[in-house]
Amino acid sequence: MSIDLLLFSSFLALSLILGIISSTKVHNISEYAIGNRDFSTPTLTATLIATYIGAGIFSYTLIETYRQGIYFLIPASAESISLLIVGYILAPRMGEFLGKLSIAESMGEMFGPRVRLITVIFGFMRLICYLSVNFKVSSKILELIFGTSGEYATILSALIVIIYSTLGGIRAVTFTDIIQFFTFGCLVPVITIIAWQALGEKSSAMVLHTLTTSALFDYKAVFDLTNPKLYEMLVMCVFFMVPDLGPDIFQRISMGRSVGQVMRSFMIAGFVCFLF
């Protein structure tokens, strides 16, 4: 068995096992949706980071950094600032929402059933698109490792996620997020080292040559006030800095024991995501 197959199979098996174990601790809809709100700050931070850094980010960050260089890296980095804004500005004002089962429930209590229904509909549309990207990347990995067809790999990856999240609710999702956090925390540096070594003895010279000769990484050209792309990049930075309070992020806020814990979790998560 190859190391790739062993690692991926172990990750999938752990996800299913944790989902089954977590299901025994769920007795009502509140425990299913937000647990008992007894998550520690590191746990809440880890699930925030894993929620923020999904399969889509791994895919398009590599592609667009290659295509656009600094023009993409700066707006992408600015996106993590939105987590800091939530932690520093919004979280202190969201104490009344702690313990709510969903953002739709909160919107319904404030604005009525019609707004609640609209929130549900657009929440579904948003998350279906998000899950589709994750399933697509996951199926590609399964296809490469197991040699299965793309269709079967997509169905398999979707079934695994649906089973453990359906059985265990937020506890299962949180535990698998922690596994994901440590898995990628270990593997990303390893992959970076392997890729660096694959470039050969002249790896440093090749990278330095790219950074000094490519117009995409020429910071003087990028920040030239006569460069129209500079203003496009700044507009994208502002756009990406707008806080995202979708159903998944709102749920992480609602899971917190206190406003202070939510603030700390978002601040730490924002800093880690910025480094990533």
Side-chain angles (χ1 to χ4, degrees), residues 25-185:
K25 301 179 180 179
V26 177
H27 302 97
N28 54 59
I29 190 63
S30 178
E31 291 181 0
Y32 182 85
I34 58 176
N36 290 320
R37 296 175 58 200
D38 55 355
F39 300 101
S40 65
T41 301
T43 299
L44 194 58
T45 302
T47 189
L48 262 174
I49 295 171
T51 301
Y52 179 84
I53 303 177
I57 287 185
F58 270 100
S59 301
Y60 76 72
T61 295
L62 292 173
I63 295 171
E64 294 305 323
T65 299
Y66 180 80
R67 289 177 177 174
Q68 303 183 47
I70 294 179
Y71 294 105
F72 174 81
L73 279 176
I74 293 179
S77 300
E79 186 175 7
S80 61
I81 297 176
S82 65
L83 294 175
L84 299 177
I85 294 175
V86 173
Y88 188 73
I89 298 176
L90 298 183
R93 297 165 173 81
M94 297 186 68
E96 64 180 294
F97 300 109
L98 299 185
K100 299 295 183 182
L101 298 185
S102 68
I103 188 172
E105 177 190 6
S106 300
M107 293 294 284
E109 290 179 356
M110 291 187 295
F111 303 108
R114 290 184 179 179
V115 174
R116 177 174 181 165
L117 178 60
I118 293 173
T119 304
V120 170
I121 292 173
F122 281 93
F124 269 125
M125 292 171 60
R126 177 185 182 275
L127 293 178
I128 285 173
C129 296
Y130 179 81
L131 283 172
S132 298
V133 175
N134 283 270
F135 287 155
K136 177 64 177 178
V137 175
S138 178
S139 66
K140 187 63 178 178
I141 296 173
L142 289 170
E143 183 180 353
L144 292 172
I145 294 178
F146 295 103
T148 59
S149 67
E151 293 180 358
Y152 290 122
T154 303
I155 294 173
L156 176 61
S157 60
L159 281 176
I160 290 172
V161 173
I162 291 171
I163 289 172
Y164 79 71
S165 59
T166 301
L167 290 176
I170 189 59
R171 285 193 176 276
V173 173
T174 300
F175 290 148
T176 54
D177 281 346
I178 294 174
I179 296 174
Q180 178 181 327
F181 174 78
F182 284 105
T183 300
F184 287 116

